[in-house]
Amino acid sequence: MNEAVAGAAANMLEIRNLHAWYGESHILHGIDLDVKPGECVTLLGRNGAGRSSTLKSILGLVGRRSGSIKVQGQETVGMPTHKIARRGIGYCPEERGIYASLSAEENLMLLPSVGPGGMSVQEIYAMFPNLKERAHSPGTRLSGGEQQMLAMARILRTGARLLLLDEITEGLAPVIVQSLGRVIRQLKERGYTTVLVEQNFRFAQHLADRHYVIEHGQVVAVIDRAEIQQSQDKLNALLGI
Ligand SMILES: Nc1ncnc2c1ncn2[C@@H]1O[C@H](COP(=O)(O)OP(=O)(O)OP(=O)(O)O)[C@@H](O)[C@H]1O
Ligand SMILES: [Mg+2]
């Protein structure tokens, strides 16, 4: 195996020159991104920058895309969404997607398996104790935080090892945000790979190995965890914080 091939195989997710369109609207303009197994990276940026579209592109949920998206070394541009997901991807969309008429536990069981080694219900309830208490409550009766936990728990059931999480802290109380932070840390310890779209930089900075700042559908800065302090001014300017 030559060096280039060995390098490619080492990435869980490798995106090159990704362009994406919704109908006639050209939204992503050449995104490059590398995530190694077990890493947590964030996509940061202002509203409308293209962060959600990047996650959706990975799963083929945009109108059209070009470029290359390799998941565990396999090219997925051109594959249908259900096949891409079976490469072991779990996606928490911004809108969470909890079914109101189903109980928490029914929601938990809903998604098909995408890989081996999904968490058991017992493991899930150990990680999210609130959900155990709410197992038989209908989706509508769950708080925003409980719905978010359920949306995450649900993808952990499927055996996904690459987690795409879109704004999981949005609108949640600080105490819930803290418990989500603990969950992300535990998942990292267990070797999960995570791409986190975040508005809450204070939350993200302690969790991620690396930050990608997106602006107008392009990566305009890549900042390693170790560089955050010295990059603070640049980050403030890019994110408007
Ligand atoms: N379904 C769609 N059809 C047409 N345009 C879209 C669609 N979804 C998003 N866009 C546009 O694509 C651009 C990027 O949107 P995206 O949702 O990726 O942004 P974002 O970085 O996630 O920001 P935020 O979540 O704060 O809106 C925006 O200009 C948005 O208006
Ligand atoms: Mg978004």
Side-chain angles (χ1 to χ4, degrees):
M1 198 186 278
N2 69 34
E3 209 174 308
V5 173
N11 278 325
M12 183 73 164
L13 176 66
E14 181 180 296
I15 299 181
R16 291 289 176 272
N17 195 27
L18 170 65
H19 289 250
W21 291 260
Y22 294 107
E24 294 293 302
S25 306
H26 188 175
I27 300 294
L28 300 183
H29 300 267
I31 299 271
D32 291 330
L33 187 87
D34 287 305
V35 194
K36 296 205 164 26
E39 280 191 323
C40 174
V41 308
T42 69
L43 307 184
L44 306 173
R46 297 171 191 251
N47 290 333
R51 299 160 306 150
S52 298
S53 300
T54 303
L55 294 191
K56 286 181 187 163
S57 293
I58 295 169
L59 283 163
L61 297 170
V62 291
R64 184 161 75 83
R65 60 210 170 123
S66 75
S68 169
I69 303 175
K70 288 185 180 159
V71 181
Q72 298 183 64
Q74 181 167 9
E75 184 58 64
T76 60
V77 168
M79 277 189 182
T81 298
H82 68 278
K83 282 219 172 114
I84 302 172
R86 278 196 235 124
R87 303 292 303 158
I89 301 179
Y91 172 48
C92 265
E94 248 173 315
E95 62 278 10
R96 294 173 189 153
I98 301 303
Y99 289 87
S101 59
L102 300 180
S103 72
E105 195 158 286
E106 284 165 338
N107 268 284
L108 187 59
M109 302 304 187
L110 206 62
L111 299 185
S113 164
V114 297
M119 282 190 196
S120 67
V121 173
Q122 240 175 346
E123 280 177 289
I124 297 265
Y125 285 154
M127 192 173 260
F128 304 94
N130 291 21
L131 291 185
K132 187 175 183 182
E133 285 167 33
R134 308 292 269 142
H136 304 294
S137 305
T140 37
R141 301 281 291 278
L142 304 179
S143 68
E146 287 164 345
Q147 288 188 22
Q148 187 59 70
M149 306 249 175
L150 182 53
M152 287 189 57
R154 193 161 65 175
I155 60 174
L156 298 174
R157 276 274 300 152
T158 66
R161 299 296 299 177
L162 171 58
L163 312 178
L164 310 178
L165 309 180
D166 201 345
E167 305 241 23
I168 56 171
T169 63
E170 196 182 16
L172 301 181
V175 57
I176 312 283
V177 172
Q178 275 175 19
S179 34
L180 285 172
R182 280 193 295 274
V183 167
I184 303 274
R185 274 198 196 88
Q186 284 180 48
L187 294 175
K188 190 165 166 52
E189 280 161 18
R190 291 178 178 220
Y192 286 83
T193 309
T194 309
V195 182
L196 203 58
V197 168
E198 261 306 324
Q199 212 52 285
N200 183 343
F201 181 67
R202 287 184 55 199
F203 171 77
Q205 67 175 333
H206 302 296
L207 298 173
D209 297 294
R210 197 162 50 264
H211 304 276
Y212 290 83
V213 183
I214 298 184
E215 201 170 87
H216 303 304
Q218 287 181 311
V219 175
V220 293
V222 183
I223 298 170
D224 267 6
R225 188 191 186 107
E227 300 166 347
I228 289 180
Q229 287 309 325
Q230 71 220 53
S231 308
Q232 205 68 55
D233 291 346
K234 185 174 165 187
L235 268 171
N236 291 350
L238 285 169
L239 303 175
I241 49 178

